[in-house]
Amino acid sequence: MYAVIDVEATGGKKGEESIIEVAIFLYDGEKVIDQLISLVQPDREIDLYVQKLTQITPKMVSTAPKFHELAKRIIEITDGAIIVGHNVDFDYRMLKQEFSKLGYTYYRETIDTLPLSEKHFPDAESYSLGKLSKSLGIPVSDRHRASGDARATLELFKLLQDKDSEKDIVLKETFTDKKKSIKYDSLLKDLPNETGIFYVFNKNKQIIYLSRSKNISQSARILLTGKSNLSNKIKISATEITYETTGNELVAWLKENHEIKTLKPSLNENQKKINFPFTIYNGFKNGFKQLRIDHTDYNSKQSHILRMNSYNNALSFLSLISEEYELCSKINDIYQGDGPCLGYSVGECHGACIGKESPDDYNKRVEAFQSKVCLEGKSILIIGKGRTLAEKSFVWIKNNVCKGYGYFDLNHQIKTEKLVQKRMIPIEENDDMDSMARGFLFSEKYLEIINLNT
Protein backbone atom coordinates (compact mmCIF):
# COMPACT_ATOMS: atom_id res chain seq x y z
CA MET A 1 0.00 0.00 0.00
CA TYR A 2 1.31 3.44 -0.96
CA ALA A 3 0.28 6.91 0.25
CA VAL A 4 1.26 9.29 -2.55
CA ILE A 5 1.60 12.72 -1.00
CA ASP A 6 2.31 16.37 -1.63
CA VAL A 7 2.18 19.29 0.78
CA GLU A 8 2.45 23.04 0.34
CA ALA A 9 3.92 25.10 3.17
CA THR A 10 4.09 28.72 4.33
CA GLY A 11 7.80 29.08 3.58
CA GLY A 12 10.26 30.58 6.01
CA LYS A 13 13.13 29.27 8.11
CA LYS A 14 13.54 25.49 8.09
CA GLY A 15 11.79 23.99 11.08
CA GLU A 16 9.45 26.96 11.48
CA GLU A 17 7.20 26.46 8.43
CA SER A 18 3.61 25.26 8.59
CA ILE A 19 1.55 23.23 6.15
CA ILE A 20 -1.07 25.17 4.18
CA GLU A 21 -2.32 22.36 1.93
CA VAL A 22 -2.08 18.57 1.88
CA ALA A 23 -3.07 15.92 -0.66
CA ILE A 24 -2.80 12.17 -0.16
CA PHE A 25 -3.84 9.44 -2.58
CA LEU A 26 -3.91 5.93 -1.10
CA TYR A 27 -2.82 3.61 -3.91
CA ASP A 28 -2.95 -0.19 -3.62
CA GLY A 29 -0.65 -0.80 -6.59
CA GLU A 30 -3.51 -0.88 -9.07
CA LYS A 31 -5.96 1.88 -8.20
CA VAL A 32 -6.61 4.76 -5.80
CA ILE A 33 -8.80 3.49 -2.96
CA ASP A 34 -8.92 6.59 -0.75
CA GLN A 35 -7.87 10.22 -0.82
CA LEU A 36 -7.53 13.33 1.31
CA ILE A 37 -7.26 16.85 -0.15
CA SER A 38 -7.51 19.89 2.08
CA LEU A 39 -6.27 23.39 2.68
CA VAL A 40 -4.81 23.81 6.19
CA GLN A 41 -4.98 26.86 8.43
CA PRO A 42 -1.36 27.53 9.44
CA ASP A 43 -0.03 28.98 12.69
CA ARG A 44 2.01 31.65 10.90
CA GLU A 45 1.93 34.04 7.94
CA ILE A 46 2.30 32.75 4.37
CA ASP A 47 5.36 34.16 2.62
CA LEU A 48 4.53 36.41 -0.34
CA TYR A 49 6.67 34.23 -2.61
CA VAL A 50 4.61 31.18 -1.65
CA GLN A 51 1.37 33.07 -2.21
CA LYS A 52 2.47 33.98 -5.75
CA LEU A 53 3.73 30.46 -6.49
CA THR A 54 0.72 28.52 -5.17
CA GLN A 55 -2.00 31.17 -5.45
CA ILE A 56 -2.96 30.21 -1.87
CA THR A 57 -3.84 33.37 0.05
CA PRO A 58 -4.35 34.00 3.79
CA LYS A 59 -8.06 34.48 3.10
CA MET A 60 -8.31 31.03 1.51
CA VAL A 61 -6.85 29.27 4.56
CA SER A 62 -8.55 31.44 7.20
CA THR A 63 -11.57 29.09 7.36
CA ALA A 64 -9.67 25.87 6.57
CA PRO A 65 -9.27 23.18 9.26
CA LYS A 66 -6.19 23.39 11.43
CA PHE A 67 -3.69 20.54 11.23
CA HIS A 68 -4.82 18.99 14.51
CA GLU A 69 -8.30 18.62 12.99
CA LEU A 70 -6.85 16.61 10.09
CA ALA A 71 -4.26 14.67 12.09
CA LYS A 72 -6.40 11.62 12.88
CA ARG A 73 -7.49 11.32 9.24
CA ILE A 74 -3.85 11.54 8.04
CA ILE A 75 -2.80 8.83 10.48
CA GLU A 76 -5.66 6.60 9.29
CA ILE A 77 -5.12 7.05 5.54
CA THR A 78 -1.36 6.42 5.81
CA ASP A 79 -1.55 3.60 8.35
CA GLY A 80 0.34 0.58 7.02
CA ALA A 81 1.32 2.47 3.87
CA ILE A 82 4.64 3.67 2.47
CA ILE A 83 4.80 7.43 1.91
CA VAL A 84 5.61 8.24 -1.74
CA GLY A 85 6.64 11.69 -2.88
CA HIS A 86 8.81 13.58 -5.33
CA ASN A 87 11.65 14.83 -3.14
CA VAL A 88 9.73 13.11 -0.37
CA ASP A 89 12.07 14.25 2.41
CA PHE A 90 10.40 17.67 2.42
CA ASP A 91 6.81 16.37 2.54
CA TYR A 92 7.65 13.76 5.18
CA ARG A 93 9.59 16.28 7.29
CA MET A 94 6.64 18.68 7.22
CA LEU A 95 4.24 15.96 8.36
CA LYS A 96 6.56 14.88 11.18
CA GLN A 97 7.04 18.52 12.17
CA GLU A 98 3.30 19.20 12.40
CA PHE A 99 2.68 16.00 14.36
CA SER A 100 5.57 16.90 16.66
CA LYS A 101 3.79 20.17 17.53
CA LEU A 102 0.92 17.98 18.75
CA GLY A 103 3.30 15.86 20.83
CA TYR A 104 2.94 12.85 18.52
CA THR A 105 5.78 10.89 16.92
CA TYR A 106 4.82 10.17 13.31
CA TYR A 107 6.77 7.44 11.52
CA ARG A 108 6.34 5.84 8.10
CA GLU A 109 8.63 4.24 5.52
CA THR A 110 9.19 6.40 2.41
CA ILE A 111 9.91 6.09 -1.30
CA ASP A 112 11.32 9.04 -3.23
CA THR A 113 10.39 9.17 -6.92
CA LEU A 114 13.20 11.64 -7.64
CA PRO A 115 16.21 9.26 -7.35
CA LEU A 116 14.15 6.51 -8.99
CA SER A 117 13.51 8.89 -11.90
CA GLU A 118 17.22 9.66 -12.15
CA LYS A 119 17.87 5.92 -12.39
CA HIS A 120 15.18 5.04 -14.93
CA PHE A 121 15.22 8.24 -17.00
CA PRO A 122 18.94 9.06 -17.14
CA ASP A 123 18.60 11.35 -20.19
CA ALA A 124 15.98 13.69 -18.73
CA GLU A 125 16.89 17.37 -18.99
CA SER A 126 15.37 18.11 -15.60
CA TYR A 127 14.06 16.10 -12.68
CA SER A 128 11.76 18.78 -11.31
CA LEU A 129 8.25 17.35 -11.11
CA GLY A 130 6.78 19.78 -13.63
CA LYS A 131 9.44 19.46 -16.34
CA LEU A 132 9.89 15.72 -15.88
CA SER A 133 6.13 15.12 -16.09
CA LYS A 134 5.90 17.20 -19.27
CA SER A 135 8.76 15.28 -20.89
CA LEU A 136 7.07 11.96 -20.03
CA GLY A 137 3.65 13.07 -21.28
CA ILE A 138 2.12 13.09 -17.81
CA PRO A 139 -0.65 15.74 -17.62
CA VAL A 140 -0.21 18.20 -14.78
CA SER A 141 -3.01 20.48 -13.66
CA ASP A 142 -2.89 22.83 -10.68
CA ARG A 143 0.92 22.93 -10.62
CA HIS A 144 2.31 23.92 -7.20
CA ARG A 145 -0.96 22.91 -5.58
CA ALA A 146 -0.95 19.79 -3.42
CA SER A 147 -3.64 17.89 -5.34
CA GLY A 148 -2.13 18.59 -8.77
CA ASP A 149 1.41 17.70 -7.75
CA ALA A 150 0.28 14.57 -5.89
CA ARG A 151 -1.66 13.36 -8.95
CA ALA A 152 1.39 13.93 -11.14
CA THR A 153 3.57 12.07 -8.62
CA LEU A 154 1.10 9.18 -8.64
CA GLU A 155 1.25 8.88 -12.45
CA LEU A 156 5.04 9.11 -12.33
CA PHE A 157 5.11 6.38 -9.66
CA LYS A 158 2.94 4.09 -11.82
CA LEU A 159 5.40 4.55 -14.69
CA LEU A 160 8.33 3.82 -12.38
CA GLN A 161 6.61 0.65 -11.21
CA ASP A 162 6.38 -0.54 -14.80
CA LYS A 163 10.09 0.12 -15.33
CA ASP A 164 11.11 -1.44 -12.01
CA SER A 165 12.66 -4.61 -13.45
CA GLU A 166 15.09 -4.86 -10.52
CA LYS A 167 12.15 -4.72 -8.09
CA ASP A 168 13.52 -1.85 -6.00
CA ILE A 169 9.99 -0.74 -5.15
CA VAL A 170 8.68 -4.22 -4.38
CA LEU A 171 11.70 -5.00 -2.22
CA LYS A 172 11.16 -1.76 -0.30
CA GLU A 173 7.66 -2.92 0.52
CA THR A 174 8.30 -6.57 1.27
CA PHE A 175 11.86 -6.75 2.61
CA THR A 176 12.16 -8.01 6.17
CA ASP A 177 15.16 -9.45 7.91
CA LYS A 178 13.60 -12.46 9.66
CA LYS A 179 16.30 -12.76 12.30
CA LYS A 180 15.99 -9.10 13.21
CA SER A 181 12.22 -9.34 13.10
CA ILE A 182 12.21 -12.20 15.58
CA LYS A 183 14.57 -10.31 17.90
CA TYR A 184 12.61 -7.07 17.64
CA ASP A 185 9.27 -8.80 18.20
CA SER A 186 10.70 -10.40 21.33
CA LEU A 187 12.03 -7.09 22.65
CA LEU A 188 8.83 -5.21 21.84
CA LYS A 189 6.47 -7.86 23.15
CA ASP A 190 3.89 -6.56 25.64
CA LEU A 191 5.08 -2.93 25.49
CA PRO A 192 1.96 -0.74 25.93
CA ASN A 193 0.67 2.13 23.81
CA GLU A 194 0.75 4.36 26.89
CA THR A 195 2.69 7.33 28.25
CA GLY A 196 5.74 6.55 30.35
CA ILE A 197 9.42 5.55 30.28
CA PHE A 198 11.04 2.59 28.56
CA TYR A 199 14.40 1.13 29.58
CA VAL A 200 16.86 -0.71 27.31
CA PHE A 201 19.12 -3.31 28.99
CA ASN A 202 22.27 -5.00 27.69
CA LYS A 203 23.40 -8.60 28.30
CA ASN A 204 24.90 -7.56 31.66
CA LYS A 205 21.47 -6.36 32.83
CA GLN A 206 22.64 -2.75 32.76
CA ILE A 207 20.34 0.05 31.63
CA ILE A 208 22.07 1.52 28.59
CA TYR A 209 19.28 3.83 27.46
CA LEU A 210 15.99 5.22 28.72
CA SER A 211 13.46 7.56 27.19
CA ARG A 212 10.07 9.07 27.88
CA SER A 213 7.29 8.59 25.33
CA LYS A 214 3.61 9.31 24.79
CA ASN A 215 3.42 5.87 23.18
CA ILE A 216 6.00 3.48 24.63
CA SER A 217 5.47 0.68 22.10
CA GLN A 218 5.63 2.97 19.08
CA SER A 219 8.73 4.87 20.25
CA ALA A 220 10.63 1.66 21.10
CA ARG A 221 9.77 0.20 17.69
CA ILE A 222 10.96 3.34 15.88
CA LEU A 223 14.19 3.23 17.88
CA LEU A 224 14.84 -0.41 16.97
CA THR A 225 14.08 0.05 13.27
CA GLY A 226 15.81 3.43 12.83
CA LYS A 227 19.07 4.15 11.03
CA SER A 228 20.66 6.69 13.38
CA ASN A 229 23.88 6.04 15.28
CA LEU A 230 21.85 5.66 18.47
CA SER A 231 19.52 3.11 16.86
CA ASN A 232 22.45 1.11 15.52
CA LYS A 233 24.13 1.01 18.93
CA ILE A 234 20.91 -0.12 20.60
CA LYS A 235 20.30 -2.84 17.99
CA ILE A 236 23.71 -4.29 18.75
CA SER A 237 23.46 -4.20 22.54
CA ALA A 238 19.79 -4.53 23.49
CA THR A 239 18.73 -7.78 25.13
CA GLU A 240 15.64 -6.60 27.01
CA ILE A 241 13.27 -3.62 27.13
CA THR A 242 11.13 -2.88 30.16
CA TYR A 243 8.82 0.02 30.92
CA GLU A 244 7.04 2.04 33.59
CA THR A 245 3.87 3.94 32.79
CA THR A 246 3.47 7.43 34.29
CA GLY A 247 -0.10 8.32 33.42
CA ASN A 248 0.78 11.68 31.87
CA GLU A 249 3.47 13.60 29.99
CA LEU A 250 4.56 15.93 32.78
CA VAL A 251 5.49 13.09 35.13
CA ALA A 252 7.24 11.34 32.21
CA TRP A 253 9.35 14.47 31.59
CA LEU A 254 10.31 14.78 35.25
CA LYS A 255 10.99 11.08 35.69
CA GLU A 256 13.16 10.91 32.56
CA ASN A 257 15.25 13.92 33.58
CA HIS A 258 15.66 12.64 37.14
CA GLU A 259 16.59 9.07 36.15
CA ILE A 260 19.06 10.05 33.44
CA LYS A 261 20.97 11.94 36.12
CA THR A 262 20.76 9.18 38.73
CA LEU A 263 21.11 6.04 36.55
CA LYS A 264 23.56 7.56 34.00
CA PRO A 265 22.76 5.19 31.07
CA SER A 266 25.74 5.07 28.71
CA LEU A 267 23.73 5.84 25.56
CA ASN A 268 22.05 8.81 27.22
CA GLU A 269 25.47 10.43 27.57
CA ASN A 270 24.41 13.45 25.55
CA GLN A 271 21.14 13.71 27.44
CA LYS A 272 22.46 14.20 30.97
CA LYS A 273 20.99 17.66 30.59
CA ILE A 274 17.74 17.66 28.64
CA ASN A 275 18.06 20.47 26.16
CA PHE A 276 15.84 23.55 26.42
CA PRO A 277 17.36 25.74 23.71
CA PHE A 278 14.67 28.43 23.63
CA THR A 279 13.43 30.76 26.34
CA ILE A 280 10.51 33.18 26.60
CA TYR A 281 12.03 36.34 28.07
CA ASN A 282 10.41 39.36 29.72
CA GLY A 283 11.13 42.72 28.17
CA PHE A 284 9.70 46.02 26.96
CA LYS A 285 8.94 47.39 23.50
CA ASN A 286 7.85 51.00 23.18
CA GLY A 287 6.47 50.92 26.72
CA PHE A 288 4.60 47.65 26.22
CA LYS A 289 5.56 44.57 28.22
CA GLN A 290 7.00 42.08 25.76
CA LEU A 291 7.21 38.28 25.81
CA ARG A 292 10.03 37.45 23.41
CA ILE A 293 11.34 34.08 22.18
CA ASP A 294 15.12 33.85 21.99
CA HIS A 295 17.91 31.31 22.26
CA THR A 296 18.52 30.25 25.85
CA ASP A 297 21.45 31.92 27.58
CA TYR A 298 21.96 30.22 30.93
CA ASN A 299 24.48 32.90 31.91
CA SER A 300 22.08 35.75 31.27
CA LYS A 301 20.51 37.53 34.22
CA GLN A 302 17.64 38.76 32.04
CA SER A 303 14.21 37.99 33.50
CA HIS A 304 12.52 35.06 31.82
CA ILE A 305 9.18 33.28 31.95
CA LEU A 306 9.75 29.72 30.74
CA ARG A 307 12.34 27.61 28.95
CA MET A 308 11.14 25.44 26.06
CA ASN A 309 12.51 22.36 24.31
CA SER A 310 11.91 23.66 20.76
CA TYR A 311 11.14 26.88 18.92
CA ASN A 312 7.83 25.46 17.68
CA ASN A 313 6.72 24.61 21.20
CA ALA A 314 7.71 28.09 22.39
CA LEU A 315 5.79 29.62 19.46
CA SER A 316 2.75 27.42 20.12
CA PHE A 317 2.82 28.35 23.80
CA LEU A 318 3.11 32.05 23.06
CA SER A 319 0.29 31.79 20.49
CA LEU A 320 -1.88 30.05 23.08
CA ILE A 321 -1.42 32.67 25.75
CA SER A 322 -1.69 35.49 23.18
CA GLU A 323 -5.16 34.19 22.34
CA GLU A 324 -6.12 33.69 25.99
CA TYR A 325 -4.87 37.08 27.19
CA GLU A 326 -5.49 38.97 23.91
CA LEU A 327 -1.85 39.92 23.43
CA CYS A 328 -0.23 41.34 20.31
CA SER A 329 2.02 39.15 18.12
CA LYS A 330 3.75 42.26 16.79
CA ILE A 331 4.65 43.48 20.27
CA ASN A 332 6.03 39.99 20.97
CA ASP A 333 8.06 39.99 17.71
CA ILE A 334 6.21 36.99 16.28
CA TYR A 335 4.76 39.04 13.41
CA GLN A 336 7.32 41.22 11.61
CA GLY A 337 5.20 42.73 8.82
CA ASP A 338 3.82 46.20 8.26
CA GLY A 339 0.46 47.29 9.63
CA PRO A 340 -1.58 45.57 12.34
CA CYS A 341 -0.93 42.02 13.46
CA LEU A 342 -3.19 39.19 12.36
CA GLY A 343 -4.73 39.03 15.85
CA TYR A 344 -6.13 42.53 15.41
CA SER A 345 -8.01 41.56 12.27
CA VAL A 346 -9.76 38.69 14.08
CA GLY A 347 -10.46 40.61 17.29
CA GLU A 348 -7.82 38.98 19.50
CA CYS A 349 -5.54 42.05 19.71
CA HIS A 350 -6.88 45.38 20.96
CA GLY A 351 -4.67 47.39 18.62
CA ALA A 352 -1.47 47.90 20.61
CA CYS A 353 0.41 47.36 17.34
CA ILE A 354 -1.22 50.39 15.69
CA GLY A 355 -1.55 52.75 18.65
CA LYS A 356 -5.18 51.99 19.47
CA GLU A 357 -4.41 50.68 22.97
CA SER A 358 -2.33 52.26 25.69
CA PRO A 359 0.64 50.47 27.29
CA ASP A 360 -1.09 50.67 30.70
CA ASP A 361 -4.17 48.75 29.54
CA TYR A 362 -2.13 46.23 27.55
CA ASN A 363 0.37 45.63 30.35
CA LYS A 364 -2.39 44.69 32.80
CA ARG A 365 -3.17 41.60 30.73
CA VAL A 366 0.52 40.67 30.49
CA GLU A 367 0.74 41.01 34.29
CA ALA A 368 -2.29 38.72 34.67
CA PHE A 369 -0.46 36.06 32.67
CA GLN A 370 2.76 36.60 34.62
CA SER A 371 0.86 36.25 37.88
CA LYS A 372 -0.47 32.86 36.82
CA VAL A 373 2.89 31.50 35.67
CA CYS A 374 4.92 32.96 38.54
CA LEU A 375 4.37 30.89 41.68
CA GLU A 376 6.58 32.84 44.08
CA GLY A 377 5.14 32.44 47.57
CA LYS A 378 2.73 29.76 46.40
CA SER A 379 2.58 26.02 46.97
CA ILE A 380 0.48 24.06 44.47
CA LEU A 381 -0.12 20.54 43.27
CA ILE A 382 -0.76 19.86 39.58
CA ILE A 383 -3.10 16.87 39.59
CA GLY A 384 -3.03 14.61 36.53
CA LYS A 385 -4.02 11.17 35.37
CA GLY A 386 -2.42 8.26 37.18
CA ARG A 387 -1.25 4.84 36.06
CA THR A 388 -4.66 3.27 36.68
CA LEU A 389 -8.22 4.57 36.59
CA ALA A 390 -8.37 4.68 40.39
CA GLU A 391 -5.09 6.57 40.73
CA LYS A 392 -4.05 10.19 40.17
CA SER A 393 -0.64 11.79 39.92
CA PHE A 394 0.63 14.99 41.49
CA VAL A 395 3.50 17.36 40.79
CA TRP A 396 4.43 19.71 43.61
CA ILE A 397 5.64 23.24 42.86
CA LYS A 398 6.63 25.57 45.68
CA ASN A 399 8.03 29.09 45.20
CA ASN A 400 8.46 28.47 41.44
CA VAL A 401 10.51 25.30 42.13
CA CYS A 402 9.34 21.83 41.14
CA LYS A 403 9.97 19.67 44.19
CA GLY A 404 8.93 16.27 42.84
CA TYR A 405 6.07 14.02 41.80
CA GLY A 406 4.06 11.10 43.11
CA TYR A 407 0.77 9.23 43.08
CA PHE A 408 -2.28 8.95 45.33
CA ASP A 409 -5.68 7.26 45.46
CA LEU A 410 -7.57 9.41 47.97
CA ASN A 411 -7.52 13.19 48.38
CA HIS A 412 -6.82 13.07 52.12
CA GLN A 413 -3.43 11.51 51.30
CA ILE A 414 -2.16 14.87 49.96
CA LYS A 415 -3.95 17.45 52.10
CA THR A 416 -0.76 18.95 53.57
CA GLU A 417 2.83 19.49 52.51
CA LYS A 418 3.91 16.94 55.10
CA LEU A 419 1.69 14.26 53.54
CA VAL A 420 2.84 15.26 50.04
CA GLN A 421 6.48 14.82 51.06
CA LYS A 422 5.77 11.30 52.33
CA ARG A 423 4.34 10.21 48.96
CA MET A 424 6.65 12.25 46.75
CA ILE A 425 9.63 11.20 44.63
CA PRO A 426 11.93 14.21 45.11
CA ILE A 427 13.86 15.61 42.15
CA GLU A 428 16.95 17.77 42.01
CA GLU A 429 16.23 21.48 41.65
CA ASN A 430 16.39 22.31 37.95
CA ASP A 431 15.28 25.52 36.26
CA ASP A 432 14.36 23.71 33.05
CA MET A 433 12.12 21.24 34.87
CA ASP A 434 10.59 24.11 36.82
CA SER A 435 9.72 25.74 33.47
CA MET A 436 8.31 22.49 32.12
CA ALA A 437 6.08 22.02 35.16
CA ARG A 438 4.82 25.62 35.24
CA GLY A 439 4.18 25.51 31.49
CA PHE A 440 1.68 22.70 32.08
CA LEU A 441 -0.55 25.20 33.87
CA PHE A 442 -1.51 26.43 30.39
CA SER A 443 -1.70 23.07 28.65
CA GLU A 444 -5.14 21.96 29.85
CA LYS A 445 -3.60 18.49 30.22
CA TYR A 446 -4.10 18.37 33.97
CA LEU A 447 -7.19 17.49 35.97
CA GLU A 448 -7.05 20.19 38.65
CA ILE A 449 -4.82 22.49 40.67
CA ILE A 450 -4.71 22.19 44.47
CA ASN A 451 -3.43 25.13 46.49
CA LEU A 452 -1.68 23.85 49.59
CA ASN A 453 -1.67 27.31 51.18
CA THR A 454 -5.33 27.14 51.97
Side-chain angles (χ1 to χ4, degrees):
M1 199 72 70
Y2 307 96
V4 183
I5 186 169
D6 187 82
V7 304
E8 304 297 333
T10 56
K13 186 178 178 181
K14 183 177 180 180
E16 298 176 11
E17 321 100 309
S18 292
I19 291 177
I20 56 174
E21 189 175 37
V22 60
I24 302 173
F25 294 99
L26 187 61
Y27 174 62
D28 66 0
E30 296 181 359
K31 60 185 180 299
V32 173
I33 60 173
D34 198 359
Q35 68 180 47
L36 166 66
I37 301 171
S38 180
L39 289 167
V40 183
Q41 187 180 151
D43 56 11
R44 56 156 290 163
E45 301 290 329
I46 305 174
D47 285 5
L48 291 177
Y49 170 77
V50 173
Q51 292 185 45
K52 291 178 181 178
L53 183 69
T54 64
Q55 299 300 305
I56 298 175
T57 65
K59 184 177 181 180
M60 291 169 63
V61 297
S62 63
T63 57
K66 294 185 177 181
F67 186 83
H68 73 84
E69 298 174 271
L70 297 169
K72 183 179 178 181
R73 174 72 173 128
I74 292 172
I75 290 172
E76 290 172 346
I77 197 172
T78 63
D79 184 37
I82 298 174
I83 299 289
V84 178
H86 199 71
N87 191 20
V88 73
D89 285 353
F90 171 76
D91 305 280
Y92 185 46
R93 177 176 67 81
M94 287 304 306
L95 280 182
K96 290 195 295 182
Q97 186 170 295
E98 293 287 3
F99 276 109
S100 179
K101 294 177 186 177
L102 304 178
Y104 180 87
T105 301
Y106 182 80
Y107 176 79
R108 299 290 187 270
E109 291 288 341
T110 61
I111 291 176
D112 195 337
T113 57
L114 197 155
L116 287 174
S117 298
E118 292 174 339
K119 176 180 178 179
H120 293 293
F121 308 113
D123 298 326
E125 293 184 5
S126 171
Y127 293 98
S128 70
L129 182 61
K131 292 180 179 178
L132 181 63
S133 296
K134 184 177 180 180
S135 71
L136 295 172
I138 296 173
V140 182
S141 59
D142 294 329
R143 183 74 177 102
H144 298 301
R145 291 296 299 269
S147 59
D149 286 356
R151 285 191 183 95
T153 302
L154 174 60
E155 294 306 314
L156 174 60
F157 183 61
K158 290 178 181 178
L159 186 54
L160 289 168
Q161 279 185 305
D162 292 338
K163 296 180 73 67
D164 185 30
S165 59
E166 297 178 15
K167 302 302 178 187
D168 292 332
I169 295 173
V170 174
L171 287 173
K172 177 76 172 179
E173 184 179 23
T174 61
F175 173 75
T176 54
D177 183 327
K178 292 184 177 180
K179 290 183 179 179
K180 288 183 179 179
S181 179
I182 293 170
K183 178 182 178 182
Y184 295 165
D185 288 345
S186 174
L187 290 172
L188 297 168
K189 184 180 179 182
D190 298 328
L191 294 184
N193 298 311
E194 296 180 37
T195 301
I197 309 287
F198 66 91
Y199 305 85
V200 181
F201 290 79
N202 64 13
K203 63 181 180 180
N204 297 320
K205 299 298 181 181
Q206 297 170 321
I207 296 175
I208 57 173
Y209 182 76
L210 67 87
S211 179
R212 73 182 187 283
S213 174
K214 286 183 66 178
N215 185 322
I216 291 171
S217 178
Q218 182 185 59
S219 294
R221 182 174 295 277
I222 290 172
L223 188 66
L224 284 175
T225 56
K227 298 178 181 179
S228 67
N229 288 335
L230 175 61
S231 290
N232 290 333
K233 289 177 181 178
I234 286 176
K235 290 174 194 177
I236 294 170
S237 303
T239 59
E240 184 180 5
I241 298 179
T242 65
Y243 68 91
E244 291 183 22
T245 59
T246 60
N248 62 77
E249 293 176 70
L250 177 54
V251 174
W253 267 100
L254 299 175
K255 185 177 178 65
E256 179 193 43
N257 184 65
H258 176 63
E259 293 188 342
I260 284 175
K261 289 180 178 179
T262 55
L263 298 175
K264 297 180 173 59
S266 59
L267 296 182
N268 286 101
E269 187 67 27
N270 295 326
Q271 293 181 259
K272 287 182 179 178
K273 181 176 180 58
I274 294 178
N275 193 21
F276 286 75
F278 291 93
T279 295
I280 299 176
Y281 288 100
N282 285 310
F284 280 91
K285 184 175 183 178
N286 301 324
F288 294 90
K289 289 195 170 186
Q290 183 188 53
L291 304 173
R292 176 178 54 85
I293 302 172
D294 206 344
H295 291 282
T296 297
D297 181 358
Y298 285 98
N299 296 318
S300 173
K301 295 182 180 180
Q302 183 180 353
S303 174
H304 71 277
I305 297 291
L306 296 172
R307 303 203 192 283
M308 309 295 283
N309 65 321
S310 73
Y311 179 84
N312 284 329
N313 283 347
L315 186 61
S316 296
F317 179 81
L318 203 49
S319 298
L320 177 72
I321 63 167
S322 293
E323 182 178 347
E324 181 178 350
Y325 290 88
E326 299 179 337
L327 305 181
C328 176
S329 60
K330 199 167 184 179
I331 296 295
N332 291 334
D333 284 347
I334 296 174
Y335 174 65
Q336 304 287 344
D338 297 327
C341 69
L342 181 61
Y344 180 73
S345 64
V346 297
E348 292 176 0
C349 167
H350 296 194
C353 46
I354 53 174
K356 288 195 172 184
E357 182 179 29
S358 70
D360 287 344
D361 289 340
Y362 180 87
N363 292 344
K364 287 177 183 176
R365 295 197 302 279
V366 179
E367 290 164 4
F369 158 69
Q370 290 172 328
S371 176
K372 182 175 179 179
V373 77
C374 179
L375 300 175
E376 193 68 42
K378 298 178 182 178
S379 179
I380 68 165
L381 296 181
I382 302 177
I383 306 300
K385 292 180 180 179
R387 298 161 295 187
T388 65
L389 289 176
E391 183 183 69
K392 294 179 182 178
S393 67
F394 68 83
V395 172
W396 182 26
I397 305 176
K398 183 175 182 179
N399 291 326
N400 279 325
V401 176
C402 182
K403 298 292 188 179
Y405 62 91
Y407 297 92
F408 68 100
D409 298 316
L410 303 169
N411 283 349
H412 73 260
Q413 296 170 330
I414 54 163
K415 286 179 65 175
T416 66
E417 289 188 358
K418 187 174 182 180
L419 289 172
V420 166
Q421 287 175 317
K422 287 182 178 180
R423 305 188 72 86
M424 183 184 72
I425 301 160
I427 64 173
E428 180 182 332
E429 188 171 329
N430 180 306
D431 186 51
D432 291 335
M433 290 298 102
D434 298 341
S435 285
M436 175 59 63
R438 287 187 287 119
F440 261 68
L441 294 172
F442 299 86
S443 70
E444 299 181 355
K445 293 180 180 179
Y446 59 84
L447 300 178
E448 65 174 318
I449 302 296
I450 294 178
N451 192 331
L452 291 178
N453 291 345
T454 60

